[in-house]
Amino acid sequence: MNLKKILFLIIYLLTIYHELYAGNISADLYKKWNNTLVLSKIMNLTTTDEEFKYIDKKYKKGKFNEVINQYPFKAYLYCKAPNIPLPDFKLNESYRNYFNPDRFNRVSIIFVSHQIHIPASMFGHTFITFKEGDRLSPIDKSIDFVGIIGNVKFYGLKSLFYHIPGRFHLKTFIEKRNEYDRENRDLWEYELKVPENIVFEMKLFSVELSQNTYEYNFLTENCSDYIFRFFKVWPELKIDKTFFIAIPLETIKVIHVDNNLIQNREIYPSTYSKTIDLYTKLNDNDRDEFNKLMKRIDKGERINESASPETIAA
């Protein structure tokens, strides 16, 4: 080894020493941080050494509240790795206002059926909902990933062959249900067997994800791909498969068949599906009356809601 290589090695080792020790950052803590923060590779999020040093510095200066607001999930991992007492994450305004931290401790994947008149829905759609009871309620909390069309020119071609911006959106379940009910799309809920402590981490992660923009591609980096990668962040769930083309039903199949994480299923039919179901159960006379009523509505006739069935059918 020549002198130049020896000098380079010495300078490199001194640099590491300065960064880890002279900078008051524990080497053990730094190692745990890198081992724990798997989300960087899985979610394509940028987590740099500078970001870690920023969090570490804020903690030591007693200004950890700033980190909680900006990086709630990373702040949690920072404390978790070396067993630092956890701060009050209710200090994060988005988390406090959206999740009401002591609630919504169960998690489900929601599959949305396709709509033949909406080409972009051909594979269906998936999103995540955090809930309280056995059945989904209007106030339960949802997060999904969608492409942002905005002012993007040729967004259809770009989303298919390249990418457009995408975002995670936090909404209530009733907002999501109404959105898809207007498109006559049914919802299937698959509740997952996830420990409550991991659900807590997922809620923090959801808040942090909603603060940034990511790349969306209709086939490879779509709603299903990001939701699937969302669950891969937790090695305890043992989800390790990757997809070249992410299809919602396939990702749910992997979670169920390969990992046996689904414990309950429930369907939430759209108003359209309910109407069709009721119509098929009518006898011939009732169908005739229903058809007469619909013809009158199609002509723009105002129907008296308090009228008797006999009057309506007249």
Side-chain angles (χ1 to χ4, degrees):
M1 184 181 291
N2 59 36
L3 182 60
K4 184 181 291 186
K5 289 184 178 179
I6 293 173
L7 287 173
F8 176 80
L9 180 60
I10 293 173
I11 293 171
Y12 177 72
L13 293 174
L14 286 173
T15 301
I16 294 176
Y17 174 83
H18 174 76
E19 293 291 338
L20 297 182
Y21 295 95
N24 292 321
I25 297 177
S26 160
D28 180 58
L29 173 57
Y30 192 81
K31 180 180 178 181
K32 288 180 179 178
W33 163 268
N34 281 322
N35 289 342
T36 306
L37 209 54
V38 294
L39 70 103
S40 299
K41 296 178 182 177
I42 294 172
M43 300 300 293
N44 288 337
L45 303 184
T46 302
T47 304
T48 62
D49 291 351
E50 288 71 24
E51 198 169 80
F52 168 78
K53 293 170 190 173
Y54 166 81
I55 294 174
D56 187 68
K57 185 185 296 184
K58 290 292 183 181
Y59 177 80
K60 290 174 180 175
K61 288 186 175 182
K63 297 181 179 179
F64 207 54
N65 290 353
E66 297 177 22
V67 177
I68 293 172
N69 277 313
Q70 191 172 0
Y71 307 113
F73 185 59
K74 292 169 188 170
Y76 172 82
L77 292 181
Y78 174 90
C79 296
K80 181 182 176 182
N83 296 318
I84 295 172
L86 290 178
D88 183 3
F89 286 97
K90 294 178 185 178
L91 294 173
N92 181 290
E93 185 176 358
S94 297
Y95 182 72
R96 181 179 68 248
N97 293 342
Y98 188 73
F99 279 112
N100 193 340
D102 299 324
R103 302 171 61 182
F104 313 112
N105 295 319
R106 298 162 69 172
V107 63
S108 297
I109 294 181
I110 312 298
F111 172 75
V112 186
S113 65
H114 78 285
Q115 220 302 345
I116 194 169
H117 301 298
I118 306 176
S121 75
M122 67 174 67
F123 296 133
H125 181 65
T126 49
F127 63 92
I128 297 170
T129 294
F130 299 94
K131 66 177 191 172
E132 290 189 287
D134 292 335
R135 283 185 60 83
L136 294 169
S137 75
I139 63 171
D140 288 338
K141 311 303 181 181
S142 301
I143 180 170
D144 71 340
F145 182 77
V146 296
I148 303 172
I149 298 174
N151 296 320
V152 178
K153 293 182 179 179
F154 309 110
Y155 69 87
L157 291 174
K158 283 189 175 180
S159 67
L160 187 61
F161 297 106
Y162 187 50
H163 64 257
I164 61 175
R167 284 191 73 93
F168 285 91
H169 291 288
L170 298 174
K171 295 183 178 181
T172 59
F173 175 68
I174 191 63
E175 289 178 285
K176 296 302 298 176
R177 187 171 187 181
N178 288 343
E179 175 185 338
Y180 294 115
D181 194 65
R182 288 191 292 270
E183 298 175 355
N184 301 330
R185 300 171 70 180
D186 302 327
L187 307 182
W188 278 266
E189 176 200 4
Y190 300 90
E191 184 178 358
L192 305 181
K193 293 181 284 189
V194 178
E196 197 168 302
N197 65 305
I198 293 182
V199 176
F200 167 72
E201 295 178 7
M202 288 178 173
K203 291 191 291 184
L204 288 177
F205 192 29
S206 298
V207 171
E208 187 162 322
L209 287 173
S210 68
Q211 298 173 353
N212 299 291
T213 301
Y214 313 91
E215 292 183 354
Y216 173 93
N217 178 278
F218 180 70
L219 296 176
T220 60
E221 294 177 295
N222 55 23
C223 63
S224 184
D225 175 62
Y226 275 95
I227 295 303
F228 191 68
R229 282 194 273 165
F230 179 97
F231 290 108
K232 288 177 69 175
V233 166
W234 287 270
E236 298 94 328
L237 303 183
K238 299 179 180 179
I239 298 174
D240 55 9
K241 189 168 182 176
T242 57
F243 293 94
F244 175 66
I245 296 178
I247 299 176
L249 279 178
E250 285 300 311
T251 58
I252 292 174
K253 180 181 176 182
V254 167
I255 289 173
H256 175 53
V257 177
D258 295 1
N259 301 86
N260 194 30
L261 288 176
I262 294 174
Q263 61 180 358
N264 293 313
R265 301 176 185 83
E266 193 74 48
I267 183 172
Y268 296 81
S270 65
T271 301
Y272 175 79
S273 294
K274 290 179 182 178
T275 304
I276 294 298
D277 182 60
L278 288 172
Y279 183 80
T280 58
K281 294 176 181 177
L282 294 175
N283 58 41
D284 291 341
N285 290 334
D286 289 337
R287 286 190 186 182
D288 288 341
E289 291 183 0
F290 179 83
N291 290 334
K292 290 177 183 178
L293 173 63
M294 295 308 297
K295 287 179 180 178
R296 292 173 64 184
I297 293 175
D298 287 342
K299 292 178 181 179
E301 185 175 339
R302 186 179 179 86
I303 303 298
N304 183 0
E305 294 181 359
S306 62
S308 66
E310 291 79 9
T311 304
I312 293 175

